[in-house]
Amino acid sequence: AILAQAVLATSRGSSLVASAAMWAAVRVLPRSASARVRPGPTRTLIFSSVDALATRTAARSCAAAPNPAVVTGAASQTDRARTEGEKSATRGVTAGTYWKLSKGKLTLWVSISALPGYMLALPACVEPMTLAALATGTFLTSASAQTMNQMYELDRDGLMHRTMHRPLPSGVMTMEEARNFAVASGTVGLGILSLGCNPLTAAVSATTMATYAAMYTPMKVLSPYNTHVGAISGALPTLLGFTAAMGTGLAGSPWALHAAWLFSMQVLWQMPHFYALAWIHRADYLRGGYKMFPLTDTTGLATAAMSKPYLVALCAMPVAASAAGLASWMLPVGAAVPSYLWWRALRRFEEHPNIANCRRFFLGSLSYLLATLALFACYARVDREQEEDSASGKQIVPVEPAWRVSLVAQLSELCPHEKMRGDLFGLMRDGCPFDSGKGGAAA
């Protein structure tokens, strides 16, 4: 109200005192009133408009003939800035605001990446409470890390077109509100993981938060190798499912190599994924002062060349997993489709480097990850253990959880190799040729 009265007085009057009063009104605004226009476009526009208006009014007062057009134009600009600030302050914080502060879509992907490990390594049937704790705790801790990231990058987000409308740089949410949310979501999330799963799962999640907020985020303006650090931080959630299912027993379990495979796959996947994202928004990232390898690539050819080795390695990983006995040979067969589609998107981007093709390449990475996680959860397996039994001598105990045994039994009925074997009265060798298990079950 004080600012509005000062602007009105200056725009109508010719006194230098009115201009000085307006200047003082803005500079001594109570902190509670200015908190809603923390650093961002709105606050910058207000202060720059006031500075210009005060200077022009002083010059006009000293001159013999005032120029009303200058004063009127500056006053209307300040009025517009004041209106925008009032709208920002009265908009209110909603659930959608916290979703944006948490980078909800990214956080949802983080939660999904934690599930395959649990579905693979759980010893028996799925425990709904443990699964819910894993998903909820992972979501909350990721939301906390993303909030801390935005708090640290507040000033830079205000410079970038794709981020200036986020809750903090736009002034919709104060820094104190964001800090409270980060502390609350992080604390509650770690508590849920510790009590609903086990302390090791909470420790892995805390490590993920620390590497993301304290290492990757500051490094984004220091070195282009920040993507490598971020890839490790982004792949750690894949271990949460394994630790939730097995706790400290993961290291000595037959699923340890599966956890390492899944972690390595997601580390490699994140490199071309974020290279594509950085090239699409390279102008914005340069405006924010970030350092990433694709930002100096004006043609897109270097970005495609940097991404290619990672795609080659990702295409080979399903084959390596099956050759090592970590999965049936249906894993590389199934992964061939998403791998081909993602590789085709890369080739299009390489042949015709433009924003549209790069965006297709970026979206193809999301499809590839989702398909690979699902395929690995379905086809990953371990060798079956043999235990001595006093009554029957030896007993074969499958390591797979109950849901997988049921799924394999259902898939065996649809397997064309099993159908052919049945049509030939069982003359073919027992089992599906894509099955790597010793029991002859279909893959």
Side-chain angles (χ1 to χ4, degrees), residues 115-369:
L115 300 181
Y118 176 77
M119 300 303 294
L120 281 173
L122 58 90
C125 297
V126 176
E127 298 180 7
M129 295 302 296
T130 303
L131 183 61
L134 174 64
T136 304
T138 303
F139 188 92
L140 289 174
T141 52
S142 176
S144 177
Q146 302 299 337
T147 300
M148 289 186 284
N149 170 269
Q150 293 188 58
M151 292 170 61
Y152 186 90
E153 297 178 344
L154 171 60
D155 294 335
R156 298 181 185 276
D157 282 350
L159 300 174
M160 299 169 59
H161 295 309
R162 64 183 291 262
T163 58
M164 63 171 51
H165 298 295
R166 287 176 176 174
L168 286 176
S170 65
V172 175
M173 178 177 286
T174 66
M175 183 69 80
E176 183 179 1
E177 290 171 331
R179 185 182 299 111
N180 293 339
F181 176 73
V183 172
S185 58
T187 303
V188 174
L190 291 176
I192 290 175
L193 290 175
S194 180
L195 298 177
C197 299
N198 50 62
L200 179 59
T201 305
V204 174
S205 184
T207 303
T208 305
M209 295 171 62
T211 54
Y212 185 85
M215 294 180 63
Y216 165 67
T217 298
M219 196 175 177
K220 289 169 68 176
V221 296
L222 301 176
S223 170
Y225 288 98
N226 65 80
T227 309
H228 298 71
V229 177
I232 296 175
S233 176
L236 283 173
T238 59
L239 303 179
L240 295 176
F242 289 97
T243 58
M246 308 199 71
T248 55
L250 174 62
S253 75
W255 294 107
L257 291 178
H258 298 74
W261 187 94
L262 204 57
F263 174 80
S264 302
M265 183 276 297
Q266 193 140 324
V267 168
L268 294 174
W269 170 84
Q270 290 190 82
M271 303 303 294
H273 172 79
F274 283 106
Y275 282 162
L277 182 65
W279 194 81
I280 292 172
H281 301 287
R282 61 189 184 281
D284 244 0
Y285 281 118
L286 286 172
R287 191 178 296 109
Y290 294 104
K291 294 184 178 181
M292 300 175 184
F293 287 114
L295 302 188
T296 58
D297 178 21
T298 57
T299 64
L301 297 177
T303 301
M306 287 188 295
S307 302
K308 187 175 294 185
Y310 295 102
L311 262 72
V312 171
L314 288 168
C315 290
M317 285 198 70
V319 178
S322 298
L326 302 182
S328 78
W329 284 101
M330 283 303 295
L331 175 62
V333 171
V337 175
S339 297
Y340 167 75
L341 293 176
W342 196 17
W343 183 267
R344 186 178 65 174
L346 174 62
R347 290 292 298 166
R348 286 182 177 177
F349 174 53
E350 187 178 33
E351 294 172 357
H352 306 284
N354 52 52
I355 297 296
N357 285 334
C358 190
R359 182 170 286 108
R360 292 189 186 97
F361 175 54
F362 171 78
L363 296 175
S365 67
L366 299 177
S367 302
Y368 173 88
L369 178 63

Side-chain angles (χ1 to χ4, degrees), residues 80-93:
R80 288 195 298 270
R82 177 179 56 81
T83 302
E84 291 177 5
E86 290 176 352
K87 290 181 179 179
S88 175
T90 59
R91 189 177 300 151
V93 178

Side-chain angles (χ1 to χ4, degrees), residues 104-126:
K105 294 180 180 179
L106 176 59
T107 293
L108 188 60
W109 277 95
V110 173
S111 301
I112 292 175
S113 67
L115 300 181
Y118 176 77
M119 300 303 294
L120 281 173
L122 58 90
C125 297
V126 176

Side-chain angles (χ1 to χ4, degrees), residues 322 327-331 379 381-382 384 400 404 408 415 417-418 429-443:
S322 298
S328 78
W329 284 101
M330 283 303 295
L331 175 62
Y379 295 122
R381 57 177 54 192
V382 298
R384 294 171 177 174
E400 291 88 354
R404 288 199 39 158
V408 169
C415 179
H417 307 95
E418 289 291 331
R429 73 178 181 87
D430 193 19
C432 175
F434 293 111
D435 177 32
S436 63
K438 301 184 186 304

